[in-house]
Amino acid sequence: MLVRPRWRRLASNRATKVLALLLALWTTIEVLSIRRNLLREAAPELPAFGNQKIFIASIHWTDESVLRSHWAPAVAQLARDIGPENVYVSIYESGSLDASKEVLQILDTDLEISGIRRKIVLDETTHKDEVEKQHTQAGWVQMPVDRSYRQNWTDWFTLEKGTWVPRRIPYLARLRNLVMQPLYEMQQSGETFDKVLWLNDVVFNTDDVRTLLATRSGDYAAACALDFKRPPMFYDTFALRDAEGYEPLMETWPYFQSSQSREAVIHGRPIPVASCWNGMVMFDAAPFYDIRRPLAFRGISDGLAASHLEGSECCLIHADNPLSRTKGVWVNPQVRVGYNGTAYGAVNPVNAGSWPSSFAIAKGLWHNRIKRWLRAFKLRDRTVENKLQNWRDEDAGHHEPGSFCLIDEMQVMLWNGWGHA
Ligand SMILES: *[C@@H]1O[C@H](CO)[C@@H](O)[C@H](O)[C@H]1NC(C)=O
């Protein structure tokens, strides 16, 4: 390899040369060994669905394009592959600003023809209806400051300080619990499911779901994919927490701060985490049937949210799930979904095991290492911790088991989507 001119002066010193050579050698050996690990774990033998009963769940808002091009056909194929006896599809859409309803109607017909049991709710309630409701129920906050949001390409609208607005997370939690209702109705008539599969509006196929299902031979409270919008950057950072409860250290491979989580990434094995969602997640269904305290989606309390904190319902569910502590929550790095076809193709190359590239591995290893070294010297940001402590001090009853889910944000619903306040 040629030594680049700007390095020449630096490398003039003999010791520096030796050091650089050793580092290069070390990195090469590391990358080669990781390559071998990843190749070994890629493209595992896929067991059949067998007699596992799977409840498929999803919520939708204004995602016509990916529904039409990939998602709806993939769900229909998946349901047929699992088999009509063993599958139920529960979908909730409301107030989309595009033709999502039309695509879901086509899916409904498709599933009907295949004899797949389902409930597809196409609700006319819009975000505008939601924000214009009386703020009598729980799940509302007051705008902490005046803030402007985009109305369309040219115009903006302003929400003044003090205006009551619905919080995004309790709204999403409510919809997710609605989608779970058929599970309980079927239980009444004596039918229970083994797994609950939550799907975002992602590109995936049946093999991805079979790989996810087979994570740790089925021994997990929940198993998630990795999701990509603009590869190599992964997408979902709101709900993902590593084995020690930290947010991902970086958006690219090997992602994590916790050594336990990082070790698993490097070996291509299921990654222990505190929480994940990542576009596709398979839950053991048992906790949803718990008689004393059935597992359900929720947001943090309005009082805590008023201090400008938020936590994803997709993270809190793992914090609330008693099975998380015994069977664990895992990311299966062999399952990579995308938010469009381009993203999916980029992280699922034809040669299984060739992703990520050797260069991406070398770069990722050093990027991650340097970030961790720098972090050791940096003062920890205690904003979230302090706010949580203040809220706890207000009342002995104030308790939040999902403290690792919290971030310093306020997310509110807008008539045309959602925004930060
Ligand atoms: C997929 O999404 C990326 C990022 O948003 C975009 O650059 C790309 O053009 C999209 N591809 C397709 C086929 O829409």
mmCIF file of all heavy atoms in Angstrom, residues 229-230 340 342, ligand 1:
data_model
loop_
_atom_site.group_PDB
_atom_site.id
_atom_site.type_symbol
_atom_site.label_atom_id
_atom_site.label_comp_id
_atom_site.label_asym_id
_atom_site.label_seq_id
_atom_site.Cartn_x
_atom_site.Cartn_y
_atom_site.Cartn_z
ATOM 1 N N LYS A 229 -33.339 3.204 7.350
ATOM 2 C CA LYS A 229 -33.987 4.144 6.448
ATOM 3 C C LYS A 229 -32.968 4.669 5.447
ATOM 4 O O LYS A 229 -33.203 4.686 4.261
ATOM 5 C CB LYS A 229 -34.595 5.308 7.235
ATOM 6 C CG LYS A 229 -35.542 6.162 6.428
ATOM 7 C CD LYS A 229 -36.367 7.052 7.338
ATOM 8 C CE LYS A 229 -37.767 7.266 6.784
ATOM 9 N NZ LYS A 229 -38.634 7.879 7.791
ATOM 10 N N ARG A 230 -31.805 5.083 5.975
ATOM 11 C CA ARG A 230 -30.698 5.534 5.123
ATOM 12 C C ARG A 230 -29.453 4.752 5.489
ATOM 13 O O ARG A 230 -28.626 5.219 6.255
ATOM 14 C CB ARG A 230 -30.441 7.037 5.357
ATOM 15 C CG ARG A 230 -31.526 7.924 4.836
ATOM 16 C CD ARG A 230 -31.185 9.394 5.067
ATOM 17 N NE ARG A 230 -32.176 10.248 4.453
ATOM 18 C CZ ARG A 230 -33.360 10.524 4.990
ATOM 19 N NH1 ARG A 230 -33.665 10.017 6.177
ATOM 20 N NH2 ARG A 230 -34.219 11.282 4.354
ATOM 21 N N ASN A 340 -37.713 1.385 2.720
ATOM 22 C CA ASN A 340 -38.100 1.243 1.315
ATOM 23 C C ASN A 340 -37.207 0.179 0.672
ATOM 24 O O ASN A 340 -36.301 -0.356 1.313
ATOM 25 C CB ASN A 340 -38.095 2.579 0.565
ATOM 26 C CG ASN A 340 -36.702 3.168 0.386
ATOM 27 O OD1 ASN A 340 -35.696 2.460 0.433
ATOM 28 N ND2 ASN A 340 -36.656 4.480 0.166
ATOM 29 N N THR A 342 -34.896 0.242 -1.581
ATOM 30 C CA THR A 342 -33.470 0.563 -1.708
ATOM 31 C C THR A 342 -32.738 0.251 -0.402
ATOM 32 O O THR A 342 -31.676 -0.377 -0.400
ATOM 33 C CB THR A 342 -33.280 2.065 -2.025
ATOM 34 O OG1 THR A 342 -34.261 2.468 -2.960
ATOM 35 C CG2 THR A 342 -31.905 2.337 -2.562
HETATM 36 C C1 LIG B 1 -35.475 5.210 -0.170
HETATM 37 O O1 LIG B 1 -35.238 6.151 0.859
HETATM 38 C C2 LIG B 1 -34.032 6.880 0.720
HETATM 39 C C3 LIG B 1 -33.884 7.765 1.938
HETATM 40 O O2 LIG B 1 -35.062 8.396 2.322
HETATM 41 C C4 LIG B 1 -34.059 7.667 -0.584
HETATM 42 O O3 LIG B 1 -32.850 8.371 -0.752
HETATM 43 C C5 LIG B 1 -34.273 6.690 -1.747
HETATM 44 O O4 LIG B 1 -34.373 7.399 -2.962
HETATM 45 C C6 LIG B 1 -35.535 5.881 -1.520
HETATM 46 N N1 LIG B 1 -35.684 4.887 -2.579
HETATM 47 C C7 LIG B 1 -36.829 4.681 -3.214
HETATM 48 C C8 LIG B 1 -36.836 3.590 -4.233
HETATM 49 O O5 LIG B 1 -37.835 5.335 -2.990
#
